[in-house]
Amino acid sequence: ASPPEMPRTALIKSFHQMFRLVRNLEYMQESASSEGITPQIIPMDLDALCRQTVSGAYSLLQKAGVTLEYESVSNGLIIPGDPELLQRLLLGLISNSALAAREGRTVLTLRRQGERALLTLSDSGPLPSPQQLAALFQQGTAEEIPLPGQGAGLGLSIARHIVSLHRGSMLVEWGQSAPSTVISLPTGPLPSRVA
């Protein structure tokens, strides 16, 4: 007997998960190489990048039942950054937040606080279990194989690395609801190259 046919939506989801895993493995391999990853820091508009990223992901997440929103207190926020790496960071964090929200709401917020740009990503997902919180802050062992739908656990490591390359910091806040991820990036000094 032949194996049962996989539904189209499950096939598409599996393909996207495999594609993301391959991209994450490539990133990890490049960052571990002797050259490492060198960010191409330019003056860039973080607000415009957030709007573009949310706009691109909105319809895909809406089909999955997740509402993605973007809130900013200003139009335009110029920072020194690598747009490609920061977009990768945003997409990874939005993806993780959407998985946690299930059929709920994910909100990306950008604001300026002094000499820092603060990105906050929150969702309407449930409060994580103690085991999930422990996994959030610890690297797994080689023997731990993630279950289907759990991911490989590379996304957070890559996010931390990208934030570090931008001289930023990343923390997770939680209270009575799902945790929020907060990214703090410097707004200066700006390099002299303009793109």
Side-chain angles (χ1 to χ4, degrees):
S2 62
E5 201 170 300
M6 184 181 284
R8 188 175 193 284
T9 54
L11 183 63
I12 291 170
K13 183 178 178 183
S14 295
F15 172 77
H16 283 289
Q17 288 173 334
M18 184 62 71
F19 181 73
R20 184 174 178 206
L21 176 61
V22 168
R23 286 196 63 212
N24 285 345
L25 289 172
E26 288 171 348
Y27 183 92
M28 297 300 280
Q29 184 177 24
E30 186 178 342
S31 68
S33 72
S34 59
E35 296 86 32
I37 292 177
T38 305
Q40 303 302 310
I41 304 293
I42 60 170
M44 57 163 282
D45 186 345
L46 183 59
D47 177 56
L49 180 70
C50 289
R51 288 181 195 283
Q52 174 191 10
T53 304
V54 167
S55 175
Y58 180 83
S59 61
L60 183 63
L61 292 179
Q62 189 176 34
K63 289 176 185 174
V66 176
T67 302
L68 177 60
E69 298 174 18
Y70 174 63
E71 299 172 355
S72 177
V73 294
S74 66
N75 281 334
L77 179 54
I78 306 299
I79 69 163
D82 182 321
E84 186 178 320
L85 287 177
L86 289 175
Q87 184 172 47
R88 180 185 199 115
L89 167 73
L90 289 172
L91 287 171
L93 293 175
I94 288 170
S95 175
N96 288 345
S97 184
L99 286 172
R102 297 185 185 118
E103 291 187 0
R105 180 174 176 243
T106 294
V107 180
L108 176 64
T109 306
L110 173 64
R111 65 186 170 93
R112 184 181 188 131
Q113 184 173 330
E115 299 297 313
R116 308 294 285 183
L118 295 181
L119 286 163
T120 304
L121 196 64
S122 56
D123 60 67
S124 61
L127 190 62
S129 70
Q131 295 84 4
Q132 289 169 321
L133 283 175
L136 186 65
F137 297 107
Q138 295 177 354
Q139 297 293 333
T141 64
E143 294 82 29
E144 293 175 350
I145 298 173
L147 298 171
Q150 282 185 326
L154 298 175
L156 194 55
S157 295
I158 290 172
R160 284 187 189 124
H161 188 254
I162 292 172
V163 169
S164 173
L165 289 174
H166 286 83
R167 298 178 296 114
S169 59
M170 183 169 108
L171 58 99
V172 177
E173 296 179 331
W174 65 87
Q176 300 300 322
S177 60
S180 297
T181 304
V182 180
I183 307 288
S184 173
L185 300 170
T187 57
L190 294 174
S192 57
R193 292 190 336 252
V194 177

